[in-house]
Amino acid sequence: MKTRAGQKIRLTSVEELLGVANEESAMDLEIAKIRPFKDHPFKVLDDEKMQDLMESIRINGILSPVLVRPIGNDTYEMVSGHRRMHAAMILGMDTVPAIIREMTDDEAVVKMVDANIQREELLPSEKAFAYKMKFEAMKRQMGRPSKEKSTQIGWTFETAELVGKETGESKNQVRRYIRLTELIPELLDYVDQKRIQFTVAVEISYIDREVQKWLFEYIKDNGVVKLNQITLLRTQLQTGAITQTKMIALLNDSQPGKTPSSKLTFSEKKLREYFPATFTTAEMRGVIEELLQQWKQSQAGEDPYEEEV
């Protein structure tokens, strides 16, 4: 819908996003009675933005009430407002304005994610676990796919599309983020630190966690890994088990711009065709090294038989 010149554009507030606008009144609730949301995927950091929030609360108070749900024994679980409550605790406040609402576990998950996912500068790990929590909650809410649903894959893709609706993420991108939850914590930290590219991290997520530990050690010692290296590693793993030494060799040989090393071997049976039966392995090695040295000198234009004067 087009807007007329000078017409104000109305933005959706946090209260409306949570469905509390003009619906429920807030009350002061003791902070001591509020528990953090179980497995809350969003980090609450004492950074510059937290200092700004504290300053705003110090001057104006908490303008938007937090949203909680009762969990029994006169205690409540925070659904939306972890940062506001953290700032209030640092400022020495005993209570926060709160809206109390009865919610199921899955309803609370969806509300919690929707209230936080639109924040700026979210880390990949925060998105990954938030999307996974909402995805699983919505699958439970939707129930098992009916016969009208074409396939299980189609059903899960439909759920993924709904998960990304609030942020404009495609269903495929949502599923890529969820894949990151399969990474070991050390590698996921590297994704947050931008030491591993997002697309590379998604590929790594399909690799066994034991091999992921080897990858972490390799990246820690050697720097970044590229997509082509992980693709080759996954191909190798499909053919069977791999040792850490072989993995390192594969990654080193497949570094961009590097010519892969080759290994040339001869069996002792083959070499015996060129030596008397009485020759030992050491004697054969000596002859081979001498002949190779002569060949090297001839390639350089030297006469290997010329005597020094």
Side-chain angles (χ1 to χ4, degrees):
M1 180 178 67
K2 293 184 179 179
T3 58
R4 296 189 302 272
Q7 181 178 352
K8 293 183 179 180
I9 299 175
R10 185 173 179 277
L11 300 178
T12 303
S13 67
V14 173
E15 288 83 359
E16 290 172 309
L17 183 63
L18 294 172
V20 299
N22 303 319
E23 181 182 320
E24 299 151 301
S25 59
M27 59 174 288
D28 287 337
L29 188 63
E30 293 179 38
I31 293 176
K33 295 182 178 180
I34 303 175
R35 304 288 178 265
F37 196 93
K38 184 180 179 182
D39 298 324
H40 190 249
F42 300 99
K43 294 179 173 62
V44 178
L45 304 175
D46 290 318
D47 53 11
E48 185 177 345
K49 290 185 177 181
M50 179 58 68
Q51 294 300 318
D52 292 340
L53 177 59
M54 290 171 56
E55 184 64 20
S56 174
I57 292 175
R58 186 181 291 111
I59 296 172
N60 305 303
I62 298 177
L63 301 178
S64 297
V66 304
L67 179 64
V68 302
R69 66 168 184 152
I71 55 176
N73 298 322
D74 197 25
T75 58
Y76 304 84
E77 182 178 52
M78 179 69 74
V79 176
S80 173
H82 289 79
R83 296 181 71 253
R84 278 165 281 168
M85 186 173 72
H86 182 74
M89 291 171 65
I90 295 177
L91 292 172
M93 299 171 60
D94 296 322
T95 64
V96 291
I99 291 173
I100 303 171
R101 181 187 296 180
E102 293 281 353
M103 281 180 274
T104 65
D105 291 347
D106 291 335
E107 288 172 342
V109 167
V110 173
K111 290 293 185 184
M112 180 273 295
V113 173
D114 286 348
N116 288 277
I117 204 65
Q118 297 191 48
R119 281 167 40 194
E120 296 179 0
E121 301 177 2
L122 286 176
L123 295 171
S125 62
E126 293 177 300
K127 276 192 173 185
F129 283 101
Y131 284 160
K132 182 177 182 180
M133 290 176 71
K134 184 175 179 181
F135 180 84
E136 293 177 345
M138 293 188 72
K139 278 206 305 181
R140 288 190 293 268
Q141 288 179 324
M142 293 170 68
R144 288 184 171 273
S146 63
K147 293 182 179 180
E148 287 75 21
K149 303 283 185 180
S150 56
T151 62
Q152 176 74 14
I153 294 177
W155 179 59
T156 56
F157 264 73
E158 179 184 338
T159 309
E161 187 173 19
L162 292 173
V163 169
K165 185 177 179 180
E166 294 294 338
T167 56
E169 301 273 21
S170 70
K171 56 181 175 290
N172 289 325
Q173 189 69 349
V174 167
R175 291 175 68 84
R176 292 187 190 103
Y177 270 111
I178 293 175
R179 282 299 319 172
L180 297 185
T181 63
E182 301 298 325
L183 294 173
I184 61 174
E186 295 86 352
L187 287 179
L188 189 54
D189 285 342
Y190 275 2
V191 180
D192 285 343
Q193 297 166 23
K194 299 183 179 180
R195 291 188 62 177
I196 301 178
Q197 293 181 348
F198 179 81
T199 52
V200 176
V202 173
E203 287 297 307
I204 294 175
S205 72
Y206 291 96
I207 294 175
D208 179 81
R209 295 177 73 86
E210 182 64 28
V211 180
Q212 286 190 33
K213 293 177 183 178
W214 301 344
L215 270 172
F216 166 70
E217 294 176 10
Y218 180 87
I219 296 170
K220 181 176 65 175
D221 295 337
N222 299 278
V224 299
V225 291
K226 300 295 184 181
L227 184 59
N228 72 299
Q229 294 174 289
I230 301 304
T231 301
L232 286 173
L233 176 58
R234 287 191 63 192
T235 301
Q236 178 64 38
L237 288 169
Q238 289 173 1
T239 65
I242 191 173
T243 65
Q244 186 173 10
T245 301
K246 287 184 178 179
M247 184 203 75
I248 292 172
L250 183 148
L251 294 177
N252 287 340
D253 288 345
S254 58
Q255 288 179 0
K258 180 175 180 178
T259 303
S261 61
S262 58
K263 188 176 182 180
L264 184 63
T265 59
F266 288 94
S267 66
E268 184 174 349
K269 180 179 180 181
K270 181 66 177 176
L271 292 175
R272 284 291 179 188
E273 297 178 10
Y274 304 97
F275 292 93
T278 57
F279 266 50
T280 64
T281 301
E283 289 173 326
M284 289 192 294
R285 182 184 297 111
V287 171
I288 291 170
E289 290 176 350
E290 183 179 350
L291 290 172
L292 287 173
Q293 183 63 32
Q294 292 173 8
W295 180 83
K296 180 180 179 181
Q297 291 174 352
S298 69
Q299 294 300 302
E302 303 175 12
D303 184 352
Y305 299 105
E306 182 178 355
E307 295 183 1
E308 294 183 3
V309 294

